[in-house]
């Protein structure tokens, strides 16, 4: 079975995340959405809320599982038996950042390949950080997140 991990903080899940995952699904037999703890970010949603949102968005897709994890993502991939890690790329700076992480991960665990999926142009400006900022200042985020997320925001 071709198993991939799509890791991230997903705080909150955006339409850009959904697009990347939807485009990754035809490439793999199963995708685990791994919700990692990012110690550099202050969270808006609890891990449990993020799990519920993603499970609701993909409630009819049996090839998607959502699991929260701590520690190195490459170790989570190994523990799950995944040979692939999916990463979305929006900008050149995303690529540089993700390339460095992928190269380090490859040194740590050569059997895990990073798969980069470029965001569609309409989603390249959407990030969880920007969505959190819009929300903190009372802006309307409904254009940027799946409708299933709105009840938590």
């Amino acid at each position: 079975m071709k198993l991939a991990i799509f890791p991230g903080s997903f705080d909150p899940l955006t339409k850009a995340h959904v697009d990347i995952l939807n485009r990754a699904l035809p490439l793999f037999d199963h995708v685990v959405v791994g919700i990692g703890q990012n110690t550099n970010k202050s969270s808006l949603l609890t891990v449990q809320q993020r799990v519920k949102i993603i499970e609701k968005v993909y409630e009819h897709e049996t090839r998607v599982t959502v699991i929260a994890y701590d520690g190195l993502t490459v170790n989570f991939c190994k523990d799950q038996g995944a040979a692939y890690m999916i990463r979305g790329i929006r900008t050149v700076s995303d690529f540089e950042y993700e390339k460095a992480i992928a190269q380090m991960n490859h040194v740590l665990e050569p059997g895990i390949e990073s798969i980069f999926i470029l965001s569609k142009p309409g989603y390249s400006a959407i990030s969880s950080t920007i969505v959190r900022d819009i929300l903190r200042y009372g802006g309307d985020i409904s254009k940027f997140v799946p409708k299933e997320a709105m009840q938590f925001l």
Side-chain angles (χ1 to χ4, degrees):
M1 175 170 73
K2 268 202 300 192
L3 175 64
I5 302 292
F6 182 31
S9 58
F10 305 104
D11 185 34
L13 179 74
T14 68
K15 288 182 178 180
H17 292 129
V18 172
D19 175 61
I20 295 294
L21 180 52
N22 288 346
R23 290 169 48 218
L25 277 170
L27 305 174
F28 302 99
D29 298 317
H30 197 87
V31 176
V32 173
V33 178
I35 301 177
Q37 298 292 333
N38 187 333
T39 55
N40 295 325
K41 294 181 181 178
S42 59
S43 297
L44 173 70
L45 299 168
T46 67
V47 171
Q48 295 80 11
Q49 288 172 316
R50 290 179 258 167
V51 168
K52 285 180 186 175
I53 290 168
I54 299 167
E55 286 178 341
K56 183 67 175 167
V57 170
Y58 288 96
E59 68 183 340
H60 300 295
E61 178 53 73
T62 59
R63 296 175 299 147
V64 173
T65 303
V66 185
I67 301 173
Y69 71 96
D70 289 314
L72 292 174
T73 301
V74 72
N75 290 342
F76 177 66
C77 291
K78 188 174 159 184
D79 292 345
Q80 294 298 311
Y84 305 96
M85 186 185 312
I86 301 163
R87 300 302 295 160
I89 303 289
R90 295 173 296 133
T91 63
V92 171
S93 60
D94 278 356
F95 174 74
E96 290 297 330
Y97 175 75
E98 294 295 343
K99 179 181 82 162
I101 291 174
Q103 289 171 332
M104 294 303 287
N105 284 341
H106 190 72
V107 171
L108 293 170
E109 191 56 52
I112 297 173
E113 279 299 330
S114 293
I115 307 296
F116 297 141
I117 298 179
L118 299 177
S119 71
K120 290 183 178 176
Y123 294 124
S124 65
I126 301 173
S127 74
S128 293
T129 301
I130 293 172
V131 170
R132 282 194 307 273
D133 286 345
I134 293 169
L135 189 61
R136 283 189 181 112
Y137 291 104
D140 178 12
I141 60 165
S142 61
K143 294 177 184 165
F144 310 116
V145 300
K147 66 183 181 307
E148 294 85 353
M150 290 303 294
Q151 74 184 63
F152 294 94
L153 302 168

